[in-house]
mmCIF file of all heavy atoms in Angstrom:
data_model
loop_
_atom_site.group_PDB
_atom_site.id
_atom_site.type_symbol
_atom_site.label_atom_id
_atom_site.label_comp_id
_atom_site.label_asym_id
_atom_site.label_seq_id
_atom_site.Cartn_x
_atom_site.Cartn_y
_atom_site.Cartn_z
ATOM 1 N N ASP A 1 0.819 -1.212 0.000
ATOM 2 C CA ASP A 1 0.000 0.000 0.000
ATOM 3 C C ASP A 1 0.855 1.266 0.000
ATOM 4 O O ASP A 1 0.403 2.290 -0.483
ATOM 5 C CB ASP A 1 -0.922 0.019 1.197
ATOM 6 C CG ASP A 1 -2.007 -1.040 1.108
ATOM 7 O OD1 ASP A 1 -2.351 -1.416 -0.032
ATOM 8 O OD2 ASP A 1 -2.493 -1.474 2.161
ATOM 9 N N SER A 2 2.057 1.193 0.572
ATOM 10 C CA SER A 2 2.866 2.409 0.678
ATOM 11 C C SER A 2 3.849 2.584 -0.483
ATOM 12 O O SER A 2 4.587 3.558 -0.506
ATOM 13 C CB SER A 2 3.648 2.390 1.997
ATOM 14 O OG SER A 2 4.544 1.295 2.003
ATOM 15 N N VAL A 3 3.876 1.666 -1.465
ATOM 16 C CA VAL A 3 4.781 1.790 -2.613
ATOM 17 C C VAL A 3 4.195 2.787 -3.604
ATOM 18 O O VAL A 3 3.061 2.648 -4.051
ATOM 19 C CB VAL A 3 4.993 0.424 -3.300
ATOM 20 C CG1 VAL A 3 5.845 0.589 -4.540
ATOM 21 C CG2 VAL A 3 5.644 -0.554 -2.331
ATOM 22 N N LEU A 4 5.000 3.806 -3.965
ATOM 23 C CA LEU A 4 4.521 4.820 -4.897
ATOM 24 C C LEU A 4 4.907 4.509 -6.335
ATOM 25 O O LEU A 4 4.156 4.811 -7.255
ATOM 26 C CB LEU A 4 5.089 6.195 -4.509
ATOM 27 C CG LEU A 4 4.718 6.695 -3.115
ATOM 28 C CD1 LEU A 4 5.395 8.017 -2.839
ATOM 29 C CD2 LEU A 4 3.207 6.835 -2.996
ATOM 30 N N SER A 5 6.095 3.935 -6.519
ATOM 31 C CA SER A 5 6.526 3.609 -7.880
ATOM 32 C C SER A 5 7.660 2.594 -7.820
ATOM 33 O O SER A 5 8.260 2.369 -6.772
ATOM 34 C CB SER A 5 6.990 4.864 -8.618
ATOM 35 O OG SER A 5 8.154 5.381 -8.012
ATOM 36 N N THR A 6 7.938 1.984 -8.968
ATOM 37 C CA THR A 6 9.053 1.052 -9.087
ATOM 38 C C THR A 6 9.861 1.432 -10.323
ATOM 39 O O THR A 6 9.385 2.175 -11.188
ATOM 40 C CB THR A 6 8.572 -0.399 -9.235
ATOM 41 O OG1 THR A 6 7.814 -0.511 -10.430
ATOM 42 C CG2 THR A 6 7.758 -0.840 -8.036
ATOM 43 N N THR A 7 11.079 0.900 -10.426
ATOM 44 C CA THR A 7 11.926 1.167 -11.592
ATOM 45 C C THR A 7 12.734 -0.081 -11.913
ATOM 46 O O THR A 7 12.943 -0.930 -11.046
ATOM 47 C CB THR A 7 12.844 2.368 -11.340
ATOM 48 O OG1 THR A 7 13.568 2.653 -12.524
ATOM 49 C CG2 THR A 7 13.827 2.087 -10.215
ATOM 50 N N THR A 8 13.143 -0.193 -13.153
ATOM 51 C CA THR A 8 13.926 -1.336 -13.607
ATOM 52 C C THR A 8 15.187 -0.832 -14.288
ATOM 53 O O THR A 8 15.125 0.103 -15.090
ATOM 54 C CB THR A 8 13.127 -2.189 -14.609
ATOM 55 O OG1 THR A 8 11.917 -2.614 -13.984
ATOM 56 C CG2 THR A 8 13.921 -3.407 -15.045
ATOM 57 N N HIS A 9 16.327 -1.417 -13.961
ATOM 58 C CA HIS A 9 17.603 -1.058 -14.570
ATOM 59 C C HIS A 9 18.135 -2.265 -15.331
ATOM 60 O O HIS A 9 18.020 -3.388 -14.870
ATOM 61 C CB HIS A 9 18.627 -0.645 -13.504
ATOM 62 C CG HIS A 9 18.217 0.567 -12.745
ATOM 63 N ND1 HIS A 9 18.505 1.834 -13.172
ATOM 64 C CD2 HIS A 9 17.528 0.709 -11.597
ATOM 65 C CE1 HIS A 9 18.019 2.702 -12.318
ATOM 66 N NE2 HIS A 9 17.415 2.037 -11.343
ATOM 67 N N PHE A 10 18.712 -2.024 -16.489
ATOM 68 C CA PHE A 10 19.299 -3.078 -17.303
ATOM 69 C C PHE A 10 20.802 -2.856 -17.386
ATOM 70 O O PHE A 10 21.247 -1.740 -17.611
ATOM 71 C CB PHE A 10 18.726 -3.071 -18.728
ATOM 72 C CG PHE A 10 17.269 -3.424 -18.782
ATOM 73 C CD1 PHE A 10 16.312 -2.445 -18.770
ATOM 74 C CD2 PHE A 10 16.879 -4.742 -18.835
ATOM 75 C CE1 PHE A 10 14.970 -2.769 -18.826
ATOM 76 C CE2 PHE A 10 15.540 -5.079 -18.900
ATOM 77 C CZ PHE A 10 14.585 -4.088 -18.883
ATOM 78 N N VAL A 11 21.567 -3.920 -17.215
ATOM 79 C CA VAL A 11 23.009 -3.866 -17.405
ATOM 80 C C VAL A 11 23.301 -4.587 -18.713
ATOM 81 O O VAL A 11 23.086 -5.788 -18.836
ATOM 82 C CB VAL A 11 23.766 -4.546 -16.234
ATOM 83 C CG1 VAL A 11 25.253 -4.516 -16.482
ATOM 84 C CG2 VAL A 11 23.411 -3.862 -14.927
ATOM 85 N N LEU A 12 23.755 -3.827 -19.709
ATOM 86 C CA LEU A 12 23.991 -4.390 -21.028
ATOM 87 C C LEU A 12 25.430 -4.858 -21.150
ATOM 88 O O LEU A 12 26.343 -4.230 -20.620
ATOM 89 C CB LEU A 12 23.696 -3.341 -22.105
ATOM 90 C CG LEU A 12 22.293 -2.771 -22.085
ATOM 91 C CD1 LEU A 12 22.133 -1.710 -23.164
ATOM 92 C CD2 LEU A 12 21.268 -3.859 -22.270
ATOM 93 N N LYS A 13 25.607 -5.964 -21.863
ATOM 94 C CA LYS A 13 26.936 -6.521 -22.082
ATOM 95 C C LYS A 13 27.667 -5.695 -23.139
ATOM 96 O O LYS A 13 27.105 -5.384 -24.189
ATOM 97 C CB LYS A 13 26.793 -7.969 -22.558
ATOM 98 C CG LYS A 13 28.087 -8.675 -22.810
ATOM 99 C CD LYS A 13 27.811 -10.104 -23.253
ATOM 100 C CE LYS A 13 29.072 -10.819 -23.608
ATOM 101 N NZ LYS A 13 28.814 -12.162 -24.091
ATOM 102 N N LYS A 14 28.912 -5.322 -22.855
ATOM 103 C CA LYS A 14 29.702 -4.542 -23.801
ATOM 104 C C LYS A 14 30.242 -5.470 -24.883
ATOM 105 O O LYS A 14 30.814 -6.506 -24.592
ATOM 106 C CB LYS A 14 30.867 -3.884 -23.075
ATOM 107 C CG LYS A 14 31.658 -2.933 -23.954
ATOM 108 C CD LYS A 14 32.869 -2.400 -23.243
ATOM 109 C CE LYS A 14 32.505 -1.309 -22.288
ATOM 110 N NZ LYS A 14 33.683 -0.604 -21.777
ATOM 111 N N TYR A 15 29.994 -5.103 -26.138
ATOM 112 C CA TYR A 15 30.476 -5.938 -27.229
ATOM 113 C C TYR A 15 31.497 -5.212 -28.092
ATOM 114 O O TYR A 15 32.121 -5.813 -28.946
ATOM 115 C CB TYR A 15 29.320 -6.436 -28.089
ATOM 116 C CG TYR A 15 28.681 -5.380 -28.957
ATOM 117 C CD1 TYR A 15 29.035 -5.270 -30.300
ATOM 118 C CD2 TYR A 15 27.748 -4.497 -28.435
ATOM 119 C CE1 TYR A 15 28.463 -4.304 -31.096
ATOM 120 C CE2 TYR A 15 27.180 -3.536 -29.234
ATOM 121 C CZ TYR A 15 27.539 -3.441 -30.559
ATOM 122 O OH TYR A 15 26.978 -2.478 -31.344
ATOM 123 N N LYS A 16 31.684 -3.902 -27.877
ATOM 124 C CA LYS A 16 32.661 -3.129 -28.618
ATOM 125 C C LYS A 16 33.378 -2.183 -27.673
ATOM 126 O O LYS A 16 32.788 -1.684 -26.717
ATOM 127 C CB LYS A 16 31.974 -2.281 -29.691
ATOM 128 C CG LYS A 16 31.989 -2.827 -31.054
ATOM 129 C CD LYS A 16 31.454 -1.795 -32.027
ATOM 130 C CE LYS A 16 31.245 -2.399 -33.380
ATOM 131 N NZ LYS A 16 30.728 -1.423 -34.337
ATOM 132 N N HIS A 17 34.652 -1.936 -27.943
ATOM 133 C CA HIS A 17 35.397 -0.939 -27.190
ATOM 134 C C HIS A 17 36.303 -0.205 -28.169
ATOM 135 O O HIS A 17 37.155 -0.816 -28.804
ATOM 136 C CB HIS A 17 36.227 -1.603 -26.082
ATOM 137 C CG HIS A 17 36.968 -0.620 -25.237
ATOM 138 N ND1 HIS A 17 36.315 0.236 -24.392
ATOM 139 C CD2 HIS A 17 38.282 -0.338 -25.134
ATOM 140 C CE1 HIS A 17 37.209 0.995 -23.784
ATOM 141 N NE2 HIS A 17 38.408 0.669 -24.229
ATOM 142 N N ASP A 18 36.102 1.101 -28.327
ATOM 143 C CA ASP A 18 36.843 1.924 -29.284
ATOM 144 C C ASP A 18 36.744 1.365 -30.699
ATOM 145 O O ASP A 18 37.714 1.355 -31.454
ATOM 146 C CB ASP A 18 38.309 2.055 -28.871
ATOM 147 C CG ASP A 18 38.464 2.878 -27.603
ATOM 148 O OD1 ASP A 18 37.607 3.749 -27.352
ATOM 149 O OD2 ASP A 18 39.441 2.660 -26.873
ATOM 150 N N GLY A 19 35.565 0.842 -31.079
ATOM 151 C CA GLY A 19 35.352 0.332 -32.417
ATOM 152 C C GLY A 19 35.861 -1.070 -32.663
ATOM 153 O O GLY A 19 35.766 -1.598 -33.750
ATOM 154 N N ILE A 20 36.412 -1.713 -31.629
ATOM 155 C CA ILE A 20 36.946 -3.076 -31.760
ATOM 156 C C ILE A 20 35.943 -4.038 -31.137
ATOM 157 O O ILE A 20 35.548 -3.876 -29.980
ATOM 158 C CB ILE A 20 38.317 -3.205 -31.060
ATOM 159 C CG1 ILE A 20 39.319 -2.247 -31.700
ATOM 160 C CG2 ILE A 20 38.827 -4.635 -31.132
ATOM 161 C CD1 ILE A 20 40.628 -2.128 -30.949
ATOM 162 N N ILE A 21 35.519 -5.041 -31.906
ATOM 163 C CA ILE A 21 34.581 -6.040 -31.395
ATOM 164 C C ILE A 21 35.317 -6.952 -30.418
ATOM 165 O O ILE A 21 36.365 -7.510 -30.736
ATOM 166 C CB ILE A 21 33.970 -6.849 -32.555
ATOM 167 C CG1 ILE A 21 33.174 -5.926 -33.469
ATOM 168 C CG2 ILE A 21 33.081 -7.968 -32.019
ATOM 169 C CD1 ILE A 21 32.630 -6.592 -34.710
ATOM 170 N N LEU A 22 34.771 -7.093 -29.212
ATOM 171 C CA LEU A 22 35.427 -7.875 -28.170
ATOM 172 C C LEU A 22 35.208 -9.368 -28.360
ATOM 173 O O LEU A 22 36.100 -10.159 -28.101
ATOM 174 C CB LEU A 22 34.914 -7.452 -26.791
ATOM 175 C CG LEU A 22 35.180 -5.991 -26.439
ATOM 176 C CD1 LEU A 22 34.533 -5.662 -25.113
ATOM 177 C CD2 LEU A 22 36.671 -5.709 -26.392
ATOM 178 N N GLU A 23 34.015 -9.784 -28.783
ATOM 179 C CA GLU A 23 33.708 -11.199 -28.966
ATOM 180 C C GLU A 23 33.046 -11.387 -30.319
ATOM 181 O O GLU A 23 32.257 -10.563 -30.753
ATOM 182 C CB GLU A 23 32.766 -11.706 -27.878
ATOM 183 C CG GLU A 23 33.409 -11.785 -26.519
ATOM 184 C CD GLU A 23 32.457 -12.416 -25.511
ATOM 185 O OE1 GLU A 23 31.454 -13.015 -25.932
ATOM 186 O OE2 GLU A 23 32.724 -12.301 -24.329
ATOM 187 N N ASP A 24 33.319 -12.490 -30.956
ATOM 188 C CA ASP A 24 32.691 -12.812 -32.233
ATOM 189 C C ASP A 24 32.016 -14.164 -32.112
ATOM 190 O O ASP A 24 32.484 -15.165 -32.619
ATOM 191 C CB ASP A 24 33.741 -12.823 -33.350
ATOM 192 C CG ASP A 24 33.095 -12.907 -34.722
ATOM 193 O OD1 ASP A 24 31.883 -12.662 -34.811
ATOM 194 O OD2 ASP A 24 33.806 -13.224 -35.685
ATOM 195 N N ASP A 25 30.890 -14.200 -31.375
ATOM 196 C CA ASP A 25 30.169 -15.446 -31.096
ATOM 197 C C ASP A 25 28.848 -15.486 -31.854
ATOM 198 O O ASP A 25 27.780 -15.546 -31.267
ATOM 199 C CB ASP A 25 29.901 -15.588 -29.588
ATOM 200 C CG ASP A 25 31.159 -15.858 -28.796
ATOM 201 O OD1 ASP A 25 32.114 -16.359 -29.398
ATOM 202 O OD2 ASP A 25 31.171 -15.574 -27.589
ATOM 203 N N ASP A 26 28.906 -15.454 -33.177
ATOM 204 C CA ASP A 26 27.674 -15.504 -33.954
ATOM 205 C C ASP A 26 26.969 -16.848 -33.797
ATOM 206 O O ASP A 26 25.753 -16.930 -33.883
ATOM 207 C CB ASP A 26 27.969 -15.255 -35.432
ATOM 208 C CG ASP A 26 28.410 -13.825 -35.684
ATOM 209 O OD1 ASP A 26 28.051 -12.954 -34.870
ATOM 210 O OD2 ASP A 26 29.097 -13.581 -36.691
ATOM 211 N N ASP A 27 27.719 -17.933 -33.574
ATOM 212 C CA ASP A 27 27.127 -19.260 -33.430
ATOM 213 C C ASP A 27 26.475 -19.454 -32.072
ATOM 214 O O ASP A 27 25.677 -20.355 -31.888
ATOM 215 C CB ASP A 27 28.202 -20.331 -33.633
ATOM 216 C CG ASP A 27 28.809 -20.263 -35.031
ATOM 217 O OD1 ASP A 27 28.129 -19.763 -35.940
ATOM 218 O OD2 ASP A 27 29.959 -20.716 -35.193
ATOM 219 N N ASP A 28 26.811 -18.610 -31.102
ATOM 220 C CA ASP A 28 26.340 -18.779 -29.729
ATOM 221 C C ASP A 28 25.190 -17.824 -29.411
ATOM 222 O O ASP A 28 24.952 -17.500 -28.270
ATOM 223 C CB ASP A 28 27.508 -18.553 -28.768
ATOM 224 C CG ASP A 28 27.222 -19.090 -27.382
ATOM 225 O OD1 ASP A 28 26.463 -20.058 -27.265
ATOM 226 O OD2 ASP A 28 27.761 -18.531 -26.412
ATOM 227 N N ASP A 29 24.468 -17.373 -30.426
ATOM 228 C CA ASP A 29 23.374 -16.433 -30.237
ATOM 229 C C ASP A 29 22.133 -17.188 -29.763
ATOM 230 O O ASP A 29 21.563 -17.984 -30.488
ATOM 231 C CB ASP A 29 23.089 -15.723 -31.550
ATOM 232 C CG ASP A 29 22.214 -14.512 -31.368
ATOM 233 O OD1 ASP A 29 21.779 -14.256 -30.228
ATOM 234 O OD2 ASP A 29 21.957 -13.820 -32.363
ATOM 235 N N LYS A 30 21.724 -16.954 -28.515
ATOM 236 C CA LYS A 30 20.624 -17.683 -27.909
ATOM 237 C C LYS A 30 19.341 -16.853 -27.867
ATOM 238 O O LYS A 30 18.408 -17.193 -27.162
ATOM 239 C CB LYS A 30 20.998 -18.115 -26.501
ATOM 240 C CG LYS A 30 22.096 -19.156 -26.474
ATOM 241 C CD LYS A 30 22.423 -19.562 -25.060
ATOM 242 C CE LYS A 30 23.448 -20.660 -24.986
ATOM 243 N NZ LYS A 30 24.713 -20.366 -25.606
ATOM 244 N N ARG A 31 19.302 -15.743 -28.656
ATOM 245 C CA ARG A 31 18.095 -14.921 -28.662
ATOM 246 C C ARG A 31 16.984 -15.593 -29.444
ATOM 247 O O ARG A 31 17.229 -16.323 -30.395
ATOM 248 C CB ARG A 31 18.393 -13.560 -29.284
ATOM 249 C CG ARG A 31 19.353 -12.743 -28.439
ATOM 250 C CD ARG A 31 19.638 -11.455 -29.107
ATOM 251 N NE ARG A 31 20.460 -11.709 -30.301
ATOM 252 C CZ ARG A 31 20.869 -10.761 -31.130
ATOM 253 N NH1 ARG A 31 20.528 -9.521 -30.938
ATOM 254 N NH2 ARG A 31 21.609 -11.055 -32.170
ATOM 255 N N MET A 32 15.750 -15.350 -29.037
ATOM 256 C CA MET A 32 14.601 -15.891 -29.737
ATOM 257 C C MET A 32 14.341 -15.065 -30.995
ATOM 258 O O MET A 32 14.525 -13.859 -31.006
ATOM 259 C CB MET A 32 13.367 -15.829 -28.844
ATOM 260 C CG MET A 32 13.427 -16.761 -27.657
ATOM 261 S SD MET A 32 12.013 -16.567 -26.552
ATOM 262 C CE MET A 32 10.650 -16.769 -27.648
ATOM 263 N N VAL A 33 13.891 -15.715 -32.046
ATOM 264 C CA VAL A 33 13.543 -15.025 -33.272
ATOM 265 C C VAL A 33 12.172 -14.402 -33.094
ATOM 266 O O VAL A 33 11.215 -15.072 -32.695
ATOM 267 C CB VAL A 33 13.546 -15.996 -34.461
ATOM 268 C CG1 VAL A 33 13.098 -15.285 -35.727
ATOM 269 C CG2 VAL A 33 14.926 -16.601 -34.645
ATOM 270 N N VAL A 34 12.076 -13.092 -33.349
ATOM 271 C CA VAL A 34 10.805 -12.380 -33.207
ATOM 272 C C VAL A 34 10.442 -11.791 -34.553
ATOM 273 O O VAL A 34 11.240 -11.133 -35.189
ATOM 274 C CB VAL A 34 10.924 -11.262 -32.147
ATOM 275 C CG1 VAL A 34 9.634 -10.487 -32.042
ATOM 276 C CG2 VAL A 34 11.313 -11.832 -30.813
ATOM 277 N N SER A 35 9.238 -12.054 -35.001
ATOM 278 C CA SER A 35 8.774 -11.490 -36.269
ATOM 279 C C SER A 35 7.399 -10.872 -36.059
ATOM 280 O O SER A 35 6.614 -11.349 -35.246
ATOM 281 C CB SER A 35 8.738 -12.550 -37.349
ATOM 282 O OG SER A 35 7.854 -13.583 -36.992
ATOM 283 N N PRO A 36 7.107 -9.802 -36.808
ATOM 284 C CA PRO A 36 5.811 -9.122 -36.608
ATOM 285 C C PRO A 36 4.635 -9.935 -37.100
ATOM 286 O O PRO A 36 4.703 -10.855 -37.810
ATOM 287 C CB PRO A 36 5.960 -7.845 -37.437
ATOM 288 C CG PRO A 36 7.106 -8.063 -38.331
ATOM 289 C CD PRO A 36 7.920 -9.179 -37.781
#
């Protein structure tokens, strides 16, 4: 009853640093395919 609001923070994985790709794991992509 006393909660006024909530928030969500995301920590994103760094995949580039100064234009250099850190990892090249195209075969290890575990994301789901989403289509409209």
Side-chain angles (χ1 to χ4, degrees):
D1 291 333
S2 63
V3 176
L4 300 177
S5 66
T6 62
T7 184
T8 302
H9 297 273
F10 294 94
V11 178
L12 302 178
K13 181 179 176 183
K14 186 185 282 191
Y15 72 99
K16 261 188 189 180
H17 183 68
D18 292 332
I20 299 171
I21 298 175
L22 299 175
E23 290 185 14
D24 190 15
D25 290 337
D26 291 335
D27 299 335
D28 197 29
D29 194 357
K30 292 181 176 58
R31 294 178 290 179
M32 292 175 54
V33 177
V34 178
S35 61

